[in-house]
Amino acid sequence: MSKKRVSRTLTGLLAGLVAVSCMGLSALAAAPESITIGIYSTTDMHGRCYGTDPLTDGSVNNSYLKVATAVKEERAKVDGSVLVDCGDIIQGSAITSYNVNMKEGEENPMAYCLRYIGYDAFVLGNHEFNYSSEIQTKFYDLLQSTDASVAGSPVSVVCANLIYTDTQQPKFKPYITKEFTVGGKTFTIGVLGFENVNVPNWDVPEHYAGLQFTHDGNTDRTYVYEWVNYWQQEMRETAKCDFVIVAAHSGEGGDAVGDGADGAKGSMEGFTAENQMRYFIENTTGVDMVMSGHNHTPGIYSIKNADGREIPCVNGGCNTLTATTLTLRSDGTLSLGESNALNLKDYEDDAGLSALIKPYYDETVPFVNQQIGTLSGKWDDVSDYYYTQGDTYDLVQKAQIWATGADVSITTPVPQKGFTLSSLFAEDAETAAVSLKNCYAFYKYDNNLLYMIEMTGKQLKDWLEQSASTYQIGEDGSLTGAGFGTDIAYGISYDVYVGNPAGSRVQNITYKGAPLSDDAVLKVALSSYRLSATPGADSYGWYAATGINTGSDKVLFNASVSEQFGGVGGSVPLIIGEYIKSETAAGRDITPGRDTEFHVYATASDAMTRLQFVEKLYEAAGSPAVEGPVPMFSDLTGNTAANWAAISGIIDGNGKGAFLPGEPVTREQAAVILLNYAKSVEKGPVGAWAVQLSYADAADIHGWAAEGAMWNLISKLIPVGEDNRFNPNGTLSSADAQAMLDAFTAL
């Protein structure tokens, strides 16, 4: 019986005694016929244990401090409660990073948050496996500790599908039960936990050694199989649960459709292993409620199960507390009320929990704010790192090569949105201080550990091709796509032509100035996330391209166990900090500059470049002598055709001093160049000649190209199709360019 229920019962007894003494009645107050249980869940809280973020100094509007207040208010309205967290908790903030990397996970503040609030159960999330088994164990032991000296109350760790490979038994409790009594009837509520089965896609095997994420025989890796074959009878018949909740670190997924109540397989249409809760509900019976997570998307859903019954599915989505009411009656019946998502930003921080966690915040602030070095020089403001090489991520690559001694570095850009190191410089300042806080700003995932492996030239090419497959070309001709599965490399130079067929997009790969051979042997630095795949769990195609993971004999270096970087956990952002410290201590300026280059083009490799177009134009003009002062381009010197075009007023680069010789020339750029050339040889328009742009896509033409497009309406040098679209961002082949120049000669 809950404390709340005991309190109400005592109140009723006292009231009855007063009635007897005052009125001579012998009957006591009748026991209540029903009680209300509040069922609550959170998920994906990612280290948010305090009200201020040490990395931004801003307020955190979705922390456990607000959960504590919300839960306290909710519990005051009900007779009992069930509170569950659906995982991803010990990774994601500077406070937890400091605890894990600098204090080896001792006294993890996230455990104290759950204990203070009074959670009944914690279901593992995939990010718990970002860290060593030792760090995980410290967290779970602290959560479950019954030592009276430990603040708060014990929290059960619940997971039914983290299985010992040798015994096929769960490592943790598969489920918990709570009993509530009303009248003479006792109800049992059970909570079964499921971890995300895709952990092997993301984390290194050492972090779950001897464990697997489904039982043997579950080849499709479904929770349906686990429920039907292991837990449905156990919870319904052995534990005699009156109400069953399944709490999983997995999202709802798409429109999966089940085809059978047996649940053993069902239709796999629309099934995704990562987010399978919709599929789970549609293919099972015997579950009364589902708590989901992982996808960071708050939601309250109603999904029909295999019997056609509507099952509530709630997802806290990292910024809400889900609240559902359950009425239990003395006649043995129960009914489920509505579910709501309570937005955490609407609650104040809990003062008690804030005081408990403040020491963790206080020790983190000076750690992340300390100046570790000084930047100097002119840093670029490139922030679209997937598409354009930039100084900020060149620094990441250089740090990885410095730490490992690698020949090549591979990284995935993971900055805070839009951050560049140039933003640290005050106006007209020649230097800028850099701190660990800044390192986290341009590499925010401290759960990425630095490794070095041995690769052949062919393996590297295959991986770059796999990365290139994530790019797309938008309807306007611009680059799109790319994301966490897209890598950029340093130490080699290469071009990516997204317009080429898959498998041939990466071209012109050179290493130390020479073409990279397939049988070359290279040392390559990269993060642990790129080494976590296995043959059966290979979301990004890394393993298919290389056959290498953390268990391979091709692993040459693991920063997390190295003498130099083990003290900072082998974490990439902290290693970047160590690089900056080292360069500063050695008296070396930290300036921009690169030894190798990559380019990504929204074209095929046969598309004509800006320099090629100007050279063809120069040749068509008869290769005239170049007279006059030669303009200086920052990225091109000594090219006669470019000098001629610049002196003649035909081209002036990008307006920032660069010629961009390797960029594909677009149709609107070609129109402007041809207009300028026509003017230089007195074949251009004279007088009041402007015309109305009548192209169907005229609105897509840049203002600086408008006159060139107008003249093309008159000259028709650049043809358009029957749809009358100019396609300003389209590119030209060599044959296209020759046809234009031939047409110009005929003017």
Side-chain angles (χ1 to χ4, degrees):
M1 182 180 291
S2 69
K3 293 181 179 179
K4 183 75 175 178
R5 180 71 198 112
V6 170
S7 175
R8 291 191 175 191
T9 301
L10 291 174
T11 301
L13 289 171
L14 290 172
L17 291 173
V18 170
V20 169
S21 64
C22 295
M23 302 177 61
L25 299 177
S26 59
L28 296 176
E33 294 184 356
S34 67
I35 60 174
T36 301
I37 306 301
I39 301 174
Y40 309 102
S41 77
T42 53
T43 186
D44 299 283
M45 295 297 286
H46 285 287
R48 294 188 297 275
C49 57
Y50 196 67
T52 304
D53 184 348
L55 295 180
T56 65
D57 301 321
S59 297
V60 180
N61 62 12
N62 55 349
S63 72
Y64 277 113
L65 274 60
K66 296 184 182 297
V67 173
T69 301
V71 168
K72 190 177 297 182
E73 291 184 10
E74 287 297 305
R75 280 176 171 156
K77 304 174 185 177
V78 295
D79 301 291
S81 66
V82 177
L83 176 59
V84 180
D85 189 278
C86 292
D88 274 9
I89 181 173
I90 61 176
Q91 179 277 330
S93 75
I95 295 175
T96 53
S97 172
Y98 181 83
N99 175 265
V100 168
N101 291 311
M102 307 308 296
K103 301 181 69 175
E104 299 182 337
E106 297 289 345
E107 302 294 308
N108 194 301
M110 306 312 294
Y112 285 120
C113 285
L114 297 191
R115 292 177 64 93
Y116 176 94
I117 296 169
Y119 277 80
D120 294 295
F122 171 76
V123 179
L124 281 62
N126 59 282
H127 280 284
E128 272 62 67
F129 290 93
N130 292 164
Y131 306 107
S132 69
S133 57
E134 291 79 12
I135 286 173
Q136 294 176 57
T137 297
K138 290 176 184 178
F139 172 65
Y140 302 138
D141 286 350
L142 183 57
L143 264 184
Q144 300 177 107
S145 175
T146 57
D147 189 329
S149 66
V150 180
S153 56
V155 180
S156 295
V157 178
V158 179
C159 188
N161 66 310
L162 184 62
I163 308 297
Y164 285 112
T165 300
D166 55 355
T167 66
Q168 291 295 289
Q169 295 299 311
K171 178 176 180 177
F172 297 105
K173 294 178 182 178
Y175 63 91
I176 62 165
T177 59
K178 288 191 74 173
E179 294 184 346
F180 300 92
T181 300
V182 52
K185 169 65 178 175
T186 297
F187 291 85
T188 300
I189 297 177
V191 180
L192 179 77
F194 282 137
E195 165 62 297
N196 200 295
V197 299
N198 268 16
V199 168
N201 272 340
W202 306 308
D203 289 290
V204 297
E206 291 89 338
H207 293 178
Y208 51 89
L211 296 163
Q212 57 194 59
F213 293 86
T214 60
H215 282 89
D216 286 349
N218 188 355
T219 56
D220 292 323
R221 299 185 298 144
T222 69
Y223 299 143
V224 173
Y225 182 99
E226 298 294 315
W227 168 251
V228 171
N229 290 283
Y230 290 93
W231 308 117
Q232 183 168 11
Q233 183 175 349
E234 167 80 13
M235 295 188 74
R236 284 299 187 184
E237 298 181 19
T238 304
K240 299 188 182 304
C241 293
D242 300 285
F243 190 86
V244 171
I245 301 167
V246 170
H249 191 75
S250 179
E252 298 73 38
D255 297 323
V257 178
D259 66 358
D262 64 347
K265 192 167 180 77
S267 168
M268 300 302 289
E269 179 183 354
F271 172 81
T272 61
E274 181 175 354
N275 293 302
Q276 57 175 292
M277 298 319 294
R278 179 179 295 277
Y279 180 85
F280 173 76
I281 294 171
E282 291 178 340
N283 285 276
T284 58
T285 60
V287 175
D288 300 297
M289 180 178 178
V290 166
M291 297 171 173
S292 56
H294 179 66
N295 60 6
H296 291 213
T297 306
I300 305 295
Y301 310 95
S302 181
I303 302 170
K304 288 183 179 180
N305 73 357
D307 281 345
R309 177 184 164 206
E310 295 284 346
I311 303 299
C313 177
V314 299
N315 187 331
C318 78
N319 54 28
T320 72
L321 172 73
T322 71
T324 306
T325 56
L326 177 67
T327 300
L328 308 178
R329 301 183 184 88
S330 59
D331 64 3
T333 63
L334 53 79
S335 59
L336 195 62
E338 67 177 15
S339 298
N340 293 288
L342 309 178
N343 199 318
L344 296 178
K345 71 178 182 181
D346 297 332
Y347 295 87
E348 298 296 323
D349 290 349
D350 181 272
L353 184 54
S354 181
L356 183 64
I357 302 300
K358 189 174 187 300
Y360 295 92
Y361 170 80
D362 288 343
E363 65 186 3
T364 303
V365 169
F367 173 71
V368 299
N369 281 287
Q370 63 177 309
Q371 180 177 342
I372 57 175
T374 302
L375 306 179
S376 59
K378 186 172 179 58
W379 293 71
D380 66 36
D381 58 0
V382 169
S383 62
D384 57 343
Y385 303 112
Y386 289 119
Y387 310 109
T388 308
Q389 187 170 0
D391 293 336
T392 301
Y393 261 77
D394 282 348
L395 179 67
V396 174
Q397 307 276 35
K398 291 174 184 177
Q400 292 192 164
I401 289 175
W402 165 81
T404 61
D407 304 309
V408 175
S409 172
I410 290 176
T411 192
T412 300
V414 286
Q416 292 178 6
K417 187 175 181 179
F419 181 85
T420 66
L421 285 170
S422 62
S423 66
L424 301 180
F425 287 78
E427 188 175 358
D428 298 326
E430 295 183 356
T431 62
V434 60
S435 66
L436 280 176
K437 178 187 291 188
N438 305 138
C439 294
Y440 275 102
F442 62 84
Y443 199 106
K444 62 185 178 181
Y445 293 135
D446 57 14
N447 54 337
N448 287 6
L449 310 180
L450 185 61
Y451 275 70
M452 181 173 67
I453 62 174
E454 181 182 283
M455 294 178 69
T456 65
K458 184 180 187 308
Q459 287 172 323
L460 181 55
K461 290 176 183 179
D462 288 347
W463 178 239
L464 291 175
E465 282 288 353
Q466 179 62 34
S467 288
S469 70
T470 64
Y471 291 107
Q472 300 172 18
I473 301 175
E475 291 184 359
D476 63 352
S478 63
L479 285 167
T480 63
F484 193 68
T486 310
D487 284 337
I488 56 177
Y490 189 89
I492 56 172
S493 292
Y494 61 99
D495 298 312
V496 178
Y497 293 95
V498 182
N500 279 6
S504 61
R505 290 178 171 178
V506 183
Q507 302 287 324
N508 309 321
I509 309 175
T510 60
Y511 173 63
K512 294 185 176 179
L516 179 64
S517 64
D518 285 351
D519 59 359
V521 178
L522 301 169
K523 294 181 293 184
V524 180
L526 72 177
S527 90
S528 57
Y529 257 54
R530 285 298 181 256
L531 292 177
S532 59
T534 64
D538 193 18
S539 292
Y540 301 111
W542 163 257
Y543 193 85
T546 67
I548 302 173
N549 60 20
T550 56
S552 169
D553 60 4
K554 299 301 182 182
V555 173
L556 306 177
F557 175 84
N558 176 353
S560 66
V561 295
S562 69
E563 182 177 352
Q564 186 173 3
F565 304 111
V568 294
S571 168
V572 173
L574 295 181
I575 287 175
I576 296 169
E578 294 299 301
Y579 169 69
I580 293 172
K581 290 178 186 178
S582 175
E583 292 295 284
T584 301
R588 291 187 286 268
D589 291 338
I590 302 173
T591 59
R594 61 185 57 120
D595 302 314
T596 61
E597 296 183 348
F598 76 87
H599 301 278
V600 184
Y601 303 118
T603 62
S605 55
D606 63 352
M608 177 157 284
T609 67
R610 288 164 56 87
L611 181 58
Q612 288 171 337
F613 188 71
V614 168
E615 288 176 333
K616 187 173 281 289
L617 186 63
Y618 177 67
E619 182 181 341
S623 303
V626 177
E627 299 178 356
V630 177
M632 294 295 292
F633 293 110
S634 61
D635 55 353
L636 183 67
T637 58
N639 185 277
T640 303
N643 293 342
W644 163 77
I647 292 171
S648 303
I650 296 170
I651 192 169
D652 61 2
N654 67 345
K656 298 180 180 179
F659 189 95
L660 307 180
E663 293 281 348
V665 64
T666 65
R667 286 164 60 90
E668 65 179 356
Q669 290 172 0
V672 172
I673 292 171
L674 289 172
L675 171 60
N676 292 339
Y677 177 49
K679 290 178 179 178
S680 72
V681 295
E682 298 183 350
K683 283 190 175 184
V686 294
W689 68 276
V691 296
Q692 179 70 34
L693 279 175
S694 57
Y695 293 120
D697 55 354
D700 296 334
I701 299 171
H702 289 92
W704 51 262
E707 281 195 354
M710 289 178 190
W711 191 60
N712 195 66
L713 275 169
I714 299 170
S715 65
K716 296 182 172 53
L717 295 177
I718 304 175
V720 298
E722 293 182 359
D723 59 0
N724 193 35
R725 297 183 66 84
F726 183 64
N727 189 17
N729 291 309
T731 58
L732 308 174
S733 67
S734 180
D736 293 334
Q738 190 60 57
M740 293 173 196
L741 295 177
D742 290 344
F744 183 91
T745 303
L747 288 177

